[in-house]
Amino acid sequence: MPTSTPVRPARPKDAVQSLERAIAVLTTFDREHRHLTLTEVAERCRLPRSAARRFLHTLVELGFVEVSGRKFTLTPQVLELGYANLSRFTLADVCRPHLEALARNLGLSASVTVLDGPDIRYVSRVEVASGMSVSLKAGSRLPAHRTATGRVLLAALPEAELNRHLDFSAPQDPHPAPAHDERSRLERELDIIRRQGWAFADQVLDVGVQALAVPLRSRTGRVVGALTVSMYQTHESARTLVPRYLPPLLETAGRISLELRAGIDV
């Protein structure tokens, strides 16, 4: 007796095929396929190269995908999309209670940031009154190479991607890319940060401001954000501040990372 071929349900007349394809492009990246070429995306999504190219470059413009050479990769911004769809919580919602507890216990401002182009973007922040001249809140952006949290994120990048970030200097940027000597010092510092797993910045961003930052990791161990606390006018050195604040910072980062590992994988 011949077997019948399953009949594929007809697409509802109001369905938007381009949205389906965009989602297919996003979800084609997974643990085994974190970096894909245009050809690989087209083949995995069964799309014409021209269509795959349009979707990828649109996602790059929206900040969900980044490109380095011929390879495309998801950005940490998909975390927010994933939490909104899968658990109805944004990344900021996930981080917020942990930041509030950390700020309350230490009496310090606490933040979570992601890398966004040459900058860090604040996803969530709990502010403790200080004399800082820089006002920071969720959505604020700062040049990554001038902050402890940005240096943690830069230290986690592959070499080619790191070079692209350090080379960037937008026209009329008030905080241009580091000059040659400064860049050499920064690269040496990033190597230390990569090995020790945390970054400390003393009066780099603002006079009297010190900051300590650690990475946040996804299920695969990829660094997708950074957690930082900042101190103002403590007149203490890293030698005394780091042993005091690093353990609770790492503990909080671990709790946040556990929640990220239970969500989407980036």
Side-chain angles (χ1 to χ4, degrees):
M1 181 176 179
T3 57
S4 59
T5 302
V7 178
R8 185 177 181 181
R11 178 184 288 108
K13 64 179 182 179
D14 292 332
V16 180
Q17 188 180 44
S18 59
L19 178 58
E20 293 178 2
R21 290 180 169 184
I23 293 174
V25 169
L26 276 177
T27 56
T28 197
F29 296 89
D30 58 26
R31 183 184 303 224
E32 287 76 33
H33 304 88
R34 290 170 49 191
H35 310 285
L36 296 171
T37 64
L38 169 61
T39 298
E40 289 167 338
V41 170
E43 289 175 351
R44 285 173 57 80
C45 295
R46 299 181 181 179
L47 289 173
R49 278 175 54 90
S50 59
R53 181 186 296 107
R54 289 196 300 273
F55 285 116
L56 282 169
H57 286 291
T58 299
L59 291 168
V60 168
E61 284 295 314
L62 294 174
F64 293 113
V65 173
E66 61 188 7
V67 58
S68 178
R70 297 175 58 246
K71 295 284 189 176
F72 293 86
T73 309
L74 295 184
T75 72
Q77 188 166 318
V78 298
L79 278 172
E80 298 180 18
L81 179 62
Y83 274 105
N85 287 336
L86 295 178
S87 64
R88 296 178 297 173
F89 287 102
T90 65
L91 180 58
D93 292 327
V94 172
C95 297
R96 187 74 187 185
H98 297 287
L99 290 182
E100 290 175 345
L102 184 65
R104 182 172 59 250
N105 292 338
L106 300 184
L108 303 174
S109 297
S111 312
V112 166
T113 65
V114 295
L115 199 58
D116 192 352
D119 301 328
I120 54 164
R121 175 167 54 85
Y122 283 79
V123 172
S124 186
R125 179 169 171 83
V126 175
E127 184 78 49
V128 172
S130 72
M132 286 180 60
S133 63
V134 179
S135 178
L136 300 172
K137 58 185 178 181
S140 293
R141 300 168 68 101
L142 291 170
H145 67 277
R146 299 190 67 218
T147 63
T149 181
R151 292 178 179 184
V152 161
L153 295 169
L154 291 173
L157 294 177
E159 184 177 357
E161 195 173 341
L162 174 60
N163 288 333
R164 182 163 53 85
H165 278 268
L166 296 183
D167 288 340
F168 182 89
S169 182
Q172 300 178 337
D173 187 348
H175 304 295
H180 177 72
D181 289 346
E182 182 187 354
R183 174 167 172 160
S184 296
R185 289 193 298 271
L186 178 58
E187 288 174 338
R188 290 194 295 270
E189 182 176 345
L190 293 179
D191 185 56
I192 295 171
I193 292 168
R194 195 175 295 115
R195 287 184 276 112
Q196 69 187 12
W198 51 269
F200 182 82
D202 191 351
Q203 305 190 76
V204 175
L205 179 63
D206 198 5
V207 176
V209 177
Q210 298 162 304
L212 182 63
V214 297
L216 299 175
R217 299 181 183 273
S218 70
R219 277 188 291 188
T220 61
R222 180 186 178 194
V223 174
V224 295
L227 172 68
T228 183
V229 290
S230 53
M231 298 73 78
Y232 183 74
Q233 296 287 19
T234 63
H235 303 295
E236 294 183 64
S237 68
R239 184 172 297 179
T240 58
L241 292 173
V242 172
R244 184 187 311 162
Y245 295 125
L246 184 59
L249 194 62
L250 289 171
E251 183 179 354
T252 301
R255 292 194 184 114
I256 295 174
S257 290
L258 281 175
E259 293 197 36
L260 298 184
R261 290 167 193 167
I264 65 171
D265 196 5
V266 296

